Amino acid sequence: MGSQPQFEHPNKAFGWAARDQSGLLSPFNFSRRETNEKDVSLKILFCGICHTDLHMIKNEWGISTYPLVPGHENVGIVTKVGSKVEKFKVGDKVGVGFMIDSCRSCQNCAENLESYCPRFTATCGAKYRDGTTTYGGLL
Ligand SMILES: [Zn+2]
Ligand SMILES: [Zn+2]
């Protein structure tokens, strides 16, 4: 077990989490990392749930870790941008899909094909570079 999710990062967050394979979700307080120079923070307004989420909630692929906040089909409004962000500004409508990061050093990443990066970071139920868990957008 890592540190407590609600205190790992400075930004308080709330979502609905699966705690086990039952399929039930319950309220979950956690935290998001600070907005770094190349980060965009957003207020999530809507989040879809697809069958991938259902598989993950019930650990049907054997890779889930709990608590798990599903939701990798997010739409929201930008609330903060890092100092080196150029393509987004506060107030923009944005979407977040299945992945939130890639290795940025493989051939695929070098060719702007991050979707094919073998070491991408999934939006939920994965590990950030700092070792903390990623949580999806179901709120
Ligand atoms: Zn999906
Ligand atoms: Zn890569």
Side-chain angles (χ1 to χ4, degrees), residues 48-53 72-73 98:
I49 289 290
C50 81
H51 213 94
T52 295
D53 294 301
H72 55 268
E73 297 164 339
F98 188 74

Side-chain angles (χ1 to χ4, degrees), residues 104-116:
R104 303 177 211 174
S105 59
C106 73
Q107 188 64 34
N108 290 328
C109 284
E111 295 175 5
N112 293 324
L113 298 170
E114 295 89 347
S115 301
Y116 297 103

Side-chain angles (χ1 to χ4, degrees), residues 28-126:
F28 178 61
N29 291 302
F30 63 106
S31 55
R32 302 278 194 194
R33 70 166 187 247
E34 63 183 298
T35 308
N36 293 319
E37 59 186 16
K38 292 184 176 178
D39 285 338
V40 171
S41 292
L42 58 143
K43 175 173 180 53
I44 297 170
L45 299 176
F46 303 100
C47 174
I49 289 290
C50 81
H51 213 94
T52 295
D53 294 301
L54 302 182
H55 286 305
M56 291 296 290
I57 289 167
K58 294 187 174 183
N59 195 25
E60 290 172 341
W61 293 333
I63 57 171
S64 302
T65 57
Y66 299 105
L68 175 94
V69 178
H72 55 268
E73 297 164 339
N74 304 291
V75 176
I77 303 288
V78 173
T79 56
K80 195 173 180 183
V81 297
S83 61
K84 292 190 176 172
V85 171
E86 297 175 351
K87 295 181 180 174
F88 299 96
K89 62 183 186 312
V90 171
D92 285 351
K93 292 185 185 114
V94 293
V96 178
F98 188 74
M99 54 188 288
I100 56 168
D101 200 0
S102 65
C103 82
R104 303 177 211 174
S105 59
C106 73
Q107 188 64 34
N108 290 328
C109 284
E111 295 175 5
N112 293 324
L113 298 170
E114 295 89 347
S115 301
Y116 297 103
C117 176
R119 289 175 286 153
F120 74 90
T121 304
T123 302
C124 47

Side-chain angles (χ1 to χ4, degrees), residues 2-10 31-33 130-133 135:
S3 59
Q4 295 176 289
Q6 67 268 46
F7 302 119
E8 285 175 329
H9 303 289
S31 55
R32 302 278 194 194
R33 70 166 187 247
D130 67 5
T132 61
T133 301
Y135 296 109

